[in-house]
Amino acid sequence: MDRTRPVKLGLGVWALVVALIALVVLTFLPTPYVIQRPGPVYDTLGTAAGADGEQVPLIQVEGTETFETAGSLDLTTVQVVGNRERTPSWFELALAWTDSSKAVVPLDSVFPEGVTTEQRDERNATLMVDSQHEATAAALNELGYDTGAEVVVQEVVEGAPAEGAVEAEDVITAVDGTAVTSAKQLRQAIQDAAGAPVELTVQRGGEEQVVEVTPAEQTDGDVTTWLIGVTLRTDYDFEIDVTLQLDNVGGPSAGMMFALGIIDTVTEGELNGGENVAGTGTIEADGTVGPIGGIRQKLYGARDAGADYFLAPSTNCDEVTGHVPDGLTVISTSTLEESLAALDVIAEGGDVGSLPSCDVVTSP
């Protein structure tokens, strides 16, 4: 008689019990990660639910003629599963790791230490508003309108080099004698000074003043940044009234698609040739398209929403390569002008393969 079988069977049962207990424990243990997955997709040429639940146009324009559109110009979003109050379980993370449309990222990269979920949502809402202003400015600049840009000091950081020289609501009109037309230009001029004092021409209370500020050095690894310690905003005086409406979506990444939607709305013909085009990217008033987060999830969200083409910031190409879902053609872009040129090729039925790409490798 084999007396070892019951012993082996008993050990196997106990091993299974221990494994199940460990699995249950892991299910409830907090984790240092959150999950990114494809979020809702919104057609900038269409409508979305407003605060009262009623459908409202994402783009409304008054003060100039508007035209019928077709197809779609979709902006894409990312949803985050988890926060500092409740992180995903290890079981949820394991499932996400096996799903190519999702990403498991460190908690601190999305919810920095000391920042509450409410504070993060407020910041993202502010970034969305700012991006809508920049999108409107970029679109109207492209169309030849005067946007009357003014760089305004929003806040002066206590103890910063600018304290005592610059005040909140100052309008900065020049740096070292060169006219300032954007916050980007001002920041670059301060960087180029490399620590040398800069002269700022400001309008304060209807009077012009020239003040001198010596930037402070900030080092992060091998990167050196020169700062004067002010928060800036750009105020515009638009010749036409553009209203962008999208509730419950934050961050700056919708900028480029809003700009394209505005241009399509106020120009005759169909910018996309009636095709379904999606995309993402921040935008500045000068038309520069910048990088965004969660682009892999946005690619899958666009594909699932029926888009055939996707406009991706060239600065995100390293994250795009090898992660493009079947059926989606990705076009790389770094400016609003390049995006418009790509749409022109799509609308004309031209050779899309000749457009800039991220040298993508298709994945299932």
Side-chain angles (χ1 to χ4, degrees):
M1 179 181 293
D2 185 358
R3 298 180 180 276
T4 63
R5 176 177 292 182
V7 175
K8 291 181 179 180
L9 182 60
L11 289 175
V13 171
W14 276 110
L16 179 61
V17 170
V18 170
L20 289 174
I21 292 173
L23 181 61
V24 171
V25 171
L26 285 175
T27 299
F28 292 99
L29 279 178
T31 63
Y33 300 99
V34 292
I35 299 169
Q36 291 180 333
R37 67 185 182 189
V41 172
Y42 300 93
D43 180 11
T44 61
L45 305 177
T47 63
D52 58 0
E54 295 292 324
Q55 291 291 313
V56 296
L58 267 69
I59 297 174
Q60 285 183 300
V61 178
E62 295 181 0
T64 191
E65 187 176 6
T66 59
F67 300 89
E68 290 292 323
T69 60
S72 61
L73 289 172
D74 292 336
L75 66 86
T76 49
T77 68
V78 174
Q79 285 186 333
V80 177
V81 180
N83 52 41
R84 285 206 169 272
E85 291 73 42
R86 191 273 180 192
T87 59
S89 68
W90 288 105
F91 181 70
E92 290 173 300
L93 294 179
L95 292 177
W97 265 311
T98 64
D99 188 337
S100 56
S101 71
K102 297 178 181 178
V104 176
V105 298
L107 174 66
D108 289 342
S109 69
V110 181
F111 298 93
E113 186 74 43
V115 178
T116 66
T117 302
E118 290 73 19
Q119 289 172 327
R120 174 182 177 272
D121 291 344
E122 281 183 18
R123 179 176 180 274
N124 281 337
T126 299
L127 289 173
M128 170 59 89
V129 172
D130 290 345
S131 76
Q132 291 176 344
H133 289 159
E134 292 295 304
T136 302
L140 296 189
N141 283 333
E142 179 67 30
L143 293 168
Y145 287 92
D146 180 8
T147 57
E150 286 187 339
V151 178
V152 183
V153 177
Q154 180 79 23
E155 183 182 6
V156 180
V157 178
E158 185 177 352
E163 187 178 27
V166 177
E167 298 179 3
E169 298 305 316
D170 280 355
V171 178
I172 301 178
T173 59
V175 55
D176 290 332
T178 301
V180 169
T181 57
S182 70
K184 176 184 177 182
Q185 177 198 356
L186 175 58
R187 294 188 187 101
Q188 188 59 54
I190 293 170
Q191 279 295 107
D192 292 343
V198 293
E199 286 190 343
L200 304 178
T201 304
V202 303
Q203 290 281 350
R204 181 184 302 160
E207 297 183 359
E208 184 175 275
Q209 301 183 37
V210 177
V211 299
E212 185 177 275
V213 181
T214 302
E217 182 179 10
Q218 177 177 292
T219 303
D220 183 7
D222 296 331
V223 179
T224 297
T225 306
W226 297 96
L227 304 171
I228 63 172
V230 296
T231 303
L232 302 170
R233 73 173 191 269
T234 305
D235 288 348
Y236 299 99
D237 184 15
F238 298 133
E239 295 182 37
I240 62 177
D241 185 15
V242 179
T243 302
L244 305 180
Q245 303 179 94
L246 184 59
D247 292 330
N248 301 320
V249 175
S253 65
M256 181 184 69
M257 297 310 295
F258 266 129
L260 293 173
I262 294 168
I263 294 172
D264 200 7
T265 300
V266 300
T267 55
E268 195 168 3
E270 298 160 355
L271 204 61
N272 53 14
E275 299 288 344
N276 296 322
V277 180
T280 187
T282 65
I283 199 160
E284 297 182 23
D286 65 0
T288 301
V289 174
I292 51 80
I295 193 164
R296 295 179 187 177
Q297 289 68 55
K298 291 177 179 180
L299 291 171
Y300 281 92
R303 190 276 307 272
D304 293 344
D308 299 306
Y309 306 95
F310 191 97
L311 299 173
S314 58
T315 41
N316 282 117
C317 272
D318 59 334
E319 301 172 77
V320 170
T321 303
H323 297 279
V324 180
D326 286 334
L328 193 65
T329 299
V330 175
I331 301 163
S332 170
T333 180
S334 59
T335 66
L336 180 60
E337 188 176 0
E338 288 180 2
S339 298
L340 289 168
L343 288 176
D344 187 54
V345 173
I346 292 171
E348 295 295 326
D351 181 11
V352 177
S354 67
L355 295 171
S357 71
C358 293
D359 295 324
V360 294
V361 179
T362 304
S363 66

